């Protein structure tokens, strides 16, 4: 038998299901009423795929079934945007790259920056707040949400369900500019 306490369960980023091979670390104890051994799980890791990769694939499948990635929901990008909103870190290399491209392509465009943490604690909340704030501003033609490259852990805030749902709910077209690879 395996026991997973609520505090451990809440730290698991992927969905457990029958047939999923996992590696469990924990302590072996004896369940006194039956005299049987049990494993008290402290960590659960999917075998094969990494935990974050599996969580990403499961979330992508879930949101796909709900229609969030359906091309019918994509909003057309303006040919010449007057106002471009950006949700990113004001100090990273990504903002310099983004501003350089905007100046080259749309020199007359006005830029609004919503400064956001792009990794770590509070990043997903900052990103969602930025998307909502630029929508509420009301005069934004297109929005760029992004950051530079990094590990899957560094980029994870952009893979959170609340961020995907905020982008889906946005009335302003959103361009995802996360990392240096083609991604979802």
């Amino acid at each position: 038998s395996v026991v997973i306490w609520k505090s451990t369960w809440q730290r698991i980023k992927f969905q457990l299901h029958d047939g999923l091979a996992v590696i469990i670390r924990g302590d072996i104890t004896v369940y006194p009423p039956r005299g049987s051994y049990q494993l008290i799980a402290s960590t659960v890791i999917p075998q094969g795929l990494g935990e974050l990769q599996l969580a990403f694939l499961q979330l992508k499948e879930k949101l796909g079934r709900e229609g969030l990635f359906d091309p019918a929901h994509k909003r057309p990008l303006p040919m010449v945007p007057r106002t471009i909103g950006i949700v990113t870190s004001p100090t990273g290399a990504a903002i310099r790259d983004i501003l350089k491209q905007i100046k080259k392509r749309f020199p007359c465009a006005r830029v609004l920056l919503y400064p956001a943490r792009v990794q770590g604690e509070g990043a997903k909340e900052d990103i969602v707040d930025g998307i909502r704030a630029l929508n509420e501003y009301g005069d934004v033609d297109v929005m760029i949400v992004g950051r530079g490259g990094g590990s899957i852990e560094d980029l994870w805030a952009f893979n959170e369900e609340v961020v995907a749902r905020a982008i889906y709910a946005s009335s302003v077209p959103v361009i995802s500019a996360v990392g240096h690879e083609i991604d979802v």
Side-chain angles (χ1 to χ4, degrees):
S1 297
V2 177
V3 176
I4 300 178
W5 301 121
K6 185 177 183 181
S7 60
T8 302
W9 183 264
Q10 291 173 329
R11 288 192 318 263
I12 299 173
K13 295 193 180 305
F14 59 94
Q15 297 295 315
L16 293 171
H17 59 81
D18 287 342
L20 179 65
V22 295
I23 299 169
I24 298 176
R25 291 192 179 100
D27 296 316
I28 296 176
T29 62
V30 176
Y31 183 62
R34 284 190 298 235
S36 61
Y37 291 103
Q38 62 186 16
L39 177 63
I40 307 292
S42 58
T43 60
V44 180
I45 303 165
Q47 191 172 2
L49 286 177
E51 178 181 20
L52 292 178
Q53 184 63 27
L54 179 59
F56 171 75
L57 293 173
Q58 288 177 341
L59 179 60
K60 182 178 167 189
E61 183 179 322
K62 173 187 172 185
L63 298 178
R65 282 193 310 267
E66 291 181 29
L68 269 71
F69 304 128
D70 188 326
H73 297 296
K74 289 188 179 276
R75 291 160 196 86
L77 299 176
M79 288 295 289
V80 180
R82 295 179 322 270
T83 304
I84 301 170
I86 304 171
V87 179
T88 193
S89 169
T91 60
I95 187 62
R96 291 192 301 276
D97 292 344
I98 292 169
L99 292 174
K100 180 179 169 185
Q101 290 303 314
I102 290 172
K103 186 175 182 180
K104 187 185 332 181
R105 293 179 178 195
F106 309 109
C108 295
R110 184 171 62 141
V111 174
L112 299 174
L113 172 65
Y114 186 94
R117 288 173 283 185
V118 292
Q119 75 182 60
E121 194 69 35
K124 68 182 176 184
E125 292 84 2
D126 281 4
I127 295 164
V128 168
D129 290 346
I131 293 167
R132 289 180 180 153
L134 290 173
N135 269 277
E136 290 170 9
Y137 184 79
D139 189 29
V140 178
D141 299 313
V142 67
M143 186 184 321
I144 300 170
V145 177
R147 62 156 287 153
S151 67
I152 191 168
E153 292 85 4
D154 291 344
L155 303 175
W156 192 255
F158 293 90
N159 290 335
E160 294 283 357
E161 184 171 352
V162 292
V163 173
R165 292 193 184 282
I167 290 170
Y168 182 77
S170 175
S171 59
V172 176
V174 176
I175 297 171
S176 172
V178 180
H180 304 297
E181 302 288 329
I182 294 173
D183 207 344
V184 176

